[in-house]
């Protein structure tokens, strides 16, 4: 009976989403946050574990039709932010070692994966130190076993796996080679990044290894040969671990597909130290990227991210599509890899692809530097940034001097050719999407409070949708970009994301500050609460954090946006932010889903401390008016009990 109730609930939710015109209903979650079973817990989550497999079953049961992962690159021990991770290599911390024991892999034996004894690992918090220690031991053992030193313990590795590895190595040879070499050199220089490589007669060459031609018997080519001679097995081991991560990712994606879940990746805007090292020949030397002062961050954000040099987009600037330059080849390789691994993409800060805000590299006061920065392509005659003049796309007469240089209206008009020039990198994204069978609706653009005119035009050109974060809505401004009623059908609406307070924090904050009455009145209008019931509904909702949160959730489904993204902390009633932007501390990026999430979700439904999806959909259907409610009477009859009656499935 429990399974029948789950199927009925899921069917009702899917039908309601169709009735409301919702195209994508995604859950956002980053790799470390996935739950693990107790017998496989290394202190950090991964989408490739058995615990994660159970969680995506749970998500499918709730009615989601997709998952939005965060960036999956290698991070450093001092900075766990995935948005500073590598662009090509996946993080070995996401390896699921217990999946490699026995057939078909035969890469580990049970006694070769040592979990902490009498572990005090918190089930709801990542322990990076423990995870790094275990994965280091495991990956070293895997490489020894693969290279033949441990075959008596783990059995013979099949010819099929070796053949698959050969194909993977050939298909990904360019980025595998350079990332593996960087890993060797990073260890050689004591774990530091390339800017600190100073000791020894090879330090300068190692810092510039890929910043010069490698054809023939150049000094750089000879250095690479010598690294292979000295560290060949370690280089091979690095590549093999990346192969295993790729294989586990493919299995995870197939598992998602079997549950009708699309898998979205995250195309971060920042280049890691590893990628900047490789890209020294095609990144800007004197400028880095940040975020200018804005409504969200009035002081701006000095990200210190490297920027692709527009002079390196194409070899002949007069013939833009004649022959791709190094920067475009690098970017295309990265985007193609993402579309090969995912069904859709989140474009992180697409401003950085269209109209990046840049500031001078290496300044003593980076905050002041970013505030005094400029738009890379919209600075035709700035006295303090004369180097940017030849990169400008607008003419001086197309600049509105009454505005600050970071204002959305700094550029006031563009002709079609100028829009195309602004859209060079977005065009590469869209071309890759088409070649991989994707549509504009499979691309989510993280445009928040600011949308400069050039990016607005590029978005319109390609039919792309932006983000609307409703917890940030200014209810005193009817035209505010975060209000859900101001969205367009192609947009993506959400209550919050990984960088915001959770809905449950905001609901409590609104009640404490007295803002809950205004929130409830706004939501009563959005949800079309009948006039005769409105006053009592507003009063009741404004005083109850659970009711206020639920109404805020239901608002997402009313329209007109057809794409909805829910971050997992909002779904599960978490009262702590996943990340606090602009801060570095041990709590950021460290929240995890505990293994008893089903039981916790059931209890949360009863206490109104988690998001109730069937109830929200019923509220949204009622908001469409009596005709819609009447047409979907049978559906709503299923949804409403589902929101109040927990079945035994969630108890197990």
């Amino acid at each position: 009976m429990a399974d029948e109730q789950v199927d009925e609930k899921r069917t009702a939710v899917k039908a309601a989403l169709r009735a409301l015109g919702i195209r994508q209903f995604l859950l956002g979650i980053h790799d470390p946050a996935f739950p693990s079973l107790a017998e496989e817990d290394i202190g950090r989550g991964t989408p490739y574990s058995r615990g994660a497999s159970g969680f995506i079953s749970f998500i499918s049961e709730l009615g989601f039709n997709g998952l939005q992962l965060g960036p999956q690159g290698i991070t450093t021990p001092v900075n766990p932010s995935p948005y500073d991770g590598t662009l090509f290599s996946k993080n070995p911390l996401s390896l699921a070692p217990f999946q490699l024991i026995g057939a078909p892999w035969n890469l580990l034996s049970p006694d070769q994966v040592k979990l902490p004894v009498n572990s005090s690992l918190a089930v709801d918090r990542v322990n990076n130190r423990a995870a790094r220690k275990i994965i280091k031991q495991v990956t070293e053992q895997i490489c020894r076993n693969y290279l033949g030193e441990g075959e008596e313990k783990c059995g013979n590795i099949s010819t099929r796996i070796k053949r698959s590895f050969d194909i993977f190595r050939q298909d990904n040879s360019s980025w595998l080679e350079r990332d593996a070499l960087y890993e060797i050199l990073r260890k050689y220089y004591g774990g530091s990044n390339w800017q600190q490589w100073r000791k020894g007669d090879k330090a300068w060459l190692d810092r510039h290894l890929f910043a010069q031609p490698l054809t023939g018997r150049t000094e750089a080519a000879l250095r690479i040969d010598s690294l292979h001679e000295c560290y060949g097995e370690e280089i091979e081991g690095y590549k093999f671990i990346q192969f295993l991560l790729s294989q586990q990712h493919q299995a995870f994606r197939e598992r998602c597909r079997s549950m009708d879940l699309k898998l979205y990746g995250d195309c971060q805007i920042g280049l890691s130290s590893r990628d900047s090292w490789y890209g020294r020949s095609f990144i800007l030397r004197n400028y880095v990227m940040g975020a200018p002062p804005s409504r969200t961050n009035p002081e701006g954000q000095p990200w210190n991210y490297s920027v692709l040099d527009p002079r390196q987009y194409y070899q002949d600037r007069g013939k833009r599509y004649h022959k791709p330059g190094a920067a475009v080849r690098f970017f295309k390789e990265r985007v193609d890899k993402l579309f090969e691994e995912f069904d859709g993409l989140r474009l992180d800060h697409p401003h950085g692809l269209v109209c990046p805000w840049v500031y001078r590299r290496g300044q003593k006061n980076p905050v002041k530097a970013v505030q005094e920065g400029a738009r890379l392509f919209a600075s035709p005659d700035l006295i303090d940034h004369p180097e940017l003049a030849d990169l400008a796309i607008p003419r001086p007469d197309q600049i509105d001097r009454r505005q600050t240089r970071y204002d959305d209206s700094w550029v006031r008009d563009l002709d079609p050719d100028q829009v195309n020039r602004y859209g060079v990198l977005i065009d590469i994204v869209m071309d890759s999407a088409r070649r991989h069978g994707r549509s504009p609706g499979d691309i989510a653009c993280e445009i928040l409070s600011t949308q400069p005119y050039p990016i607005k035009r590029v978005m319109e050109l390609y039919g792309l949708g932006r983000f609307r974060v409703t917890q940030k809505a200014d209810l005193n401004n009817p035209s505010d970009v975060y209000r859900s009623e101001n969205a367009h059908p192609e947009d993506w609406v959400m209550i919050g994301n990984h960088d915001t307070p959770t809905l449950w924090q905001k609901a409590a904050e609104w009640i404490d500050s007295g803002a809950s009455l205004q929130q409830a009145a706004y939501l009563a209008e959005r949800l079309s609460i009948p006039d005769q019931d409105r006053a009592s509904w507003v009063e009741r909702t404004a005083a109850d954090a659970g009711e206020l949160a639920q109404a805020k959730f239901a608002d997402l489904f009313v329209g007109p946006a057809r794409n909805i993204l829910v971050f997992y902390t909002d779904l599960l009633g978490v009262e702590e932010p996943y990340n606090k932007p602009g801060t570095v501390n041990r709590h950021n990026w460290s929240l995890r889903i505990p293994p008893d999430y089903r039981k916790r979700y059931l209890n949360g439904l009863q206490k109104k401390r988690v998001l109730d999806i069937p109830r929200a959909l019923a509220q949204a259907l009622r908001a469409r008016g009596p005709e819609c409610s009447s047409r979907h009477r049978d559906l709503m009859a299923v949804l409403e009990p589902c929101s109040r009656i927990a079945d035994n499935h969630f108890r197990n």
Side-chain angles (χ1 to χ4, degrees):
M1 183 62 182
D3 288 339
E4 293 175 2
Q5 289 176 327
V6 169
D7 289 340
E8 183 182 38
K9 177 188 296 185
R10 179 167 43 202
T11 299
V13 167
K14 298 284 189 182
L17 291 172
R18 288 193 298 272
L20 292 165
I22 303 302
R23 180 177 180 271
Q24 305 293 356
F25 181 37
L26 307 186
L27 182 81
I29 179 173
H30 290 190
D31 282 23
F34 275 95
S36 298
L37 302 181
E39 60 269 23
E40 63 177 358
D41 191 5
I42 66 169
R44 180 191 189 274
T46 166
Y48 313 136
S49 68
R50 289 191 288 270
S53 181
F55 181 72
I56 63 171
S57 295
F58 170 71
I59 292 306
S60 176
E61 292 161 12
L62 292 182
F64 287 93
N65 61 14
L67 289 176
Q68 168 70 71
L69 300 186
Q72 295 186 297
I74 300 172
T75 56
T76 66
V78 297
N79 183 7
S81 170
Y83 292 92
D84 288 341
T86 53
L87 301 186
F88 289 86
S89 289
K90 292 186 183 298
N91 198 331
L93 293 177
S94 286
L95 192 69
F98 287 90
Q99 305 289 68
L100 303 173
I101 296 173
W105 291 102
N106 294 316
L107 286 169
L108 289 168
S109 59
D111 64 312
Q112 291 175 339
V113 186
K114 303 291 187 182
L115 294 180
V117 179
N118 298 322
S119 173
S120 59
L121 298 179
V123 295
D124 59 353
R125 186 71 68 179
V126 171
N127 187 322
N128 268 309
R129 178 178 296 181
R132 285 182 179 278
K133 180 179 179 181
I134 293 170
I135 288 298
K136 182 178 184 295
Q137 295 170 346
V138 163
T139 53
E140 289 175 352
Q141 185 64 57
I142 287 172
C143 292
R144 284 195 296 269
N145 290 346
Y146 175 72
L147 294 171
E149 297 178 17
E151 288 187 357
E152 73 282 1
K153 291 186 176 181
C154 62
N156 292 324
I157 298 168
S158 72
T159 302
R160 182 184 63 81
I161 291 174
K162 293 180 179 179
R163 187 181 302 117
S164 296
F165 177 40
D166 286 340
I167 294 171
F168 172 81
R169 189 167 39 194
Q170 292 168 13
D171 290 345
N172 300 275
S173 58
S174 59
W175 68 264
L176 268 177
E177 174 73 4
R178 66 192 185 232
D179 279 15
L181 289 172
Y182 184 88
E183 188 69 13
I184 296 302
L185 290 170
R186 188 186 65 82
K187 292 178 180 177
Y188 179 81
Y189 289 102
S192 59
N193 67 44
W194 63 272
Q195 287 121 330
Q196 280 77 50
W197 297 350
R198 301 291 177 186
K199 296 180 179 180
D201 59 349
K202 296 293 185 183
W204 186 92
L205 177 60
D206 289 341
R207 291 199 308 274
H208 297 80
L209 198 59
F210 283 95
Q212 50 195 301
L214 295 176
T215 56
R217 304 301 291 170
T218 63
E219 188 179 5
L222 292 172
R223 174 61 170 160
I224 291 174
D225 288 345
S226 70
L227 289 172
H228 273 278
E229 184 177 345
C230 295
Y231 304 100
E233 288 190 355
E234 292 180 53
I235 292 171
E236 186 79 353
Y238 182 94
K239 295 177 180 180
F240 189 66
I241 296 302
Q242 288 300 312
F243 162 69
L244 295 179
L245 286 162
S246 174
Q247 292 289 299
Q248 291 193 339
H249 182 85
Q250 182 178 334
F252 175 69
R253 187 177 177 191
E254 291 172 357
R255 171 77 169 154
C256 288
R257 282 177 172 171
S258 72
M259 299 180 183
D260 293 324
L261 292 171
K262 295 180 72 173
L263 191 60
Y264 277 64
D266 199 329
C267 185
Q268 75 213 57
I269 195 60
L271 272 68
S272 70
S273 292
R274 186 174 315 222
D275 297 295
S276 295
W277 167 76
Y278 168 71
R280 291 200 70 181
S281 66
F282 54 83
I283 61 176
L284 287 176
R285 293 186 178 183
N286 299 324
Y287 283 91
V288 289
M289 186 193 306
S294 68
R295 165 177 163 180
T296 305
N297 298 97
E299 292 188 348
Q301 299 177 72
W303 292 335
N304 197 38
Y305 288 149
S306 294
V307 184
L308 298 179
D309 186 347
R311 301 175 188 88
Q312 299 288 333
Y313 282 4
Y314 289 89
Q315 292 185 13
D316 186 340
R317 294 181 67 190
K319 298 179 180 179
R320 185 162 61 94
Y321 294 106
H322 179 61
K323 191 171 183 180
V328 158
R329 292 197 303 270
F330 174 83
F331 184 71
K332 180 179 178 297
E333 181 183 26
R334 177 195 176 197
V335 173
D336 283 347
K337 182 175 185 290
L338 286 168
F339 275 119
E340 287 163 7
E341 296 176 340
F342 294 98
D343 304 305
L345 284 186
R346 172 189 182 271
L347 291 185
D348 176 49
H349 195 72
H351 307 62
L353 301 177
V354 176
C355 52
W357 181 262
V358 297
Y359 61 101
R360 295 190 188 280
R361 184 189 294 272
Q363 300 299 296
K364 291 182 178 179
N365 186 339
V367 174
K368 184 173 184 293
V370 79
Q371 292 171 355
E372 296 175 349
R375 293 283 179 199
L376 182 64
F377 298 121
S379 305
D381 53 8
L382 294 181
I383 296 175
D384 54 338
H385 293 286
E387 308 97 311
L388 301 182
D390 72 330
L391 298 177
I393 295 174
R395 301 183 305 272
D397 63 289
Q398 293 175 302
I399 303 297
D400 188 346
R401 311 290 172 165
R402 298 169 299 175
Q403 309 296 334
T404 59
R405 62 181 67 169
Y406 54 79
D407 191 273
D408 285 0
S409 302
W410 170 251
V411 177
R412 60 186 176 190
D413 68 87
L414 295 168
D415 63 41
D417 181 66
Q418 289 173 317
V419 175
N420 287 332
R421 289 173 63 193
Y422 264 112
V424 166
L425 297 183
I426 295 294
D427 189 68
I428 290 170
V429 174
M430 302 308 297
D431 178 67
S432 181
R434 286 189 294 269
R435 286 187 286 104
H436 289 87
R438 315 289 189 268
S439 70
D442 297 320
I443 299 172
C445 294
E446 190 222 16
I447 295 175
L448 300 175
S449 58
T450 62
Q451 188 181 36
Y453 181 71
I455 198 169
K456 179 177 183 294
R457 291 287 304 275
V458 171
M459 296 280 286
E460 291 172 348
L461 177 65
Y462 291 104
L464 296 170
R466 61 170 293 174
F467 281 15
R468 310 276 180 170
V469 185
T470 62
Q471 67 165 255
K472 296 183 178 183
D474 181 355
L475 301 187
N476 295 314
N477 179 6
S479 62
D480 185 68
V481 297
Y482 286 136
R483 292 171 67 129
S484 58
E485 69 269 29
N486 293 331
H488 300 291
E490 65 270 18
D491 288 343
W492 295 73
V493 292
M494 61 207 70
I495 301 164
N497 58 27
H498 60 266
D499 281 337
T500 65
T502 70
L503 172 61
W504 309 97
Q505 290 177 289
K506 294 300 294 184
E509 177 186 312
W510 289 327
I511 291 175
D512 290 343
S513 67
S516 59
L517 272 173
Q518 186 182 23
Q519 287 285 339
Y522 165 74
L523 292 167
E525 182 72 25
R526 287 287 291 151
L527 298 176
S528 300
I529 304 301
D531 292 343
Q532 65 271 21
D533 300 327
R534 186 163 296 192
S536 60
W537 187 93
V538 168
E539 182 179 4
R540 182 175 67 255
T541 302
D544 187 322
E547 290 293 337
L548 186 59
Q550 185 63 31
K552 197 72 175 176
F553 179 45
D555 169 49
L556 301 181
F557 296 95
V558 175
R562 299 182 61 201
N563 304 296
I564 294 173
L565 178 60
V566 177
F567 198 62
Y568 86 90
T569 51
D570 284 337
L571 173 71
L572 300 181
V574 179
E575 298 183 6
E576 182 181 351
Y578 192 70
N579 175 55
K580 292 183 179 179
T583 66
V584 178
N585 62 63
R586 62 187 180 88
H587 294 296
N588 282 357
W589 313 103
S590 68
L591 288 176
R592 274 187 82 187
I593 298 170
D596 61 343
Y597 54 86
R598 286 181 180 270
K599 180 179 179 181
R600 294 189 185 212
Y601 186 77
L602 169 63
N603 292 336
L605 281 176
Q606 296 170 337
K607 297 175 182 178
K608 297 186 297 186
R609 299 303 299 174
V610 298
L611 296 183
D612 188 333
I613 295 169
R615 184 182 174 201
L617 292 170
Q619 288 176 298
L621 287 169
R622 280 197 299 271
R624 294 287 180 91
E627 182 179 344
C628 180
S629 298
S630 177
R631 186 165 66 251
H632 299 291
R633 183 181 295 111
D634 293 343
L635 176 59
M636 292 181 66
V638 177
L639 291 171
E640 292 283 25
C642 285
S643 69
R644 295 190 297 268
I645 302 173
D647 58 62
N648 290 331
H649 186 89
F650 290 110
R651 298 182 186 277
N652 298 327

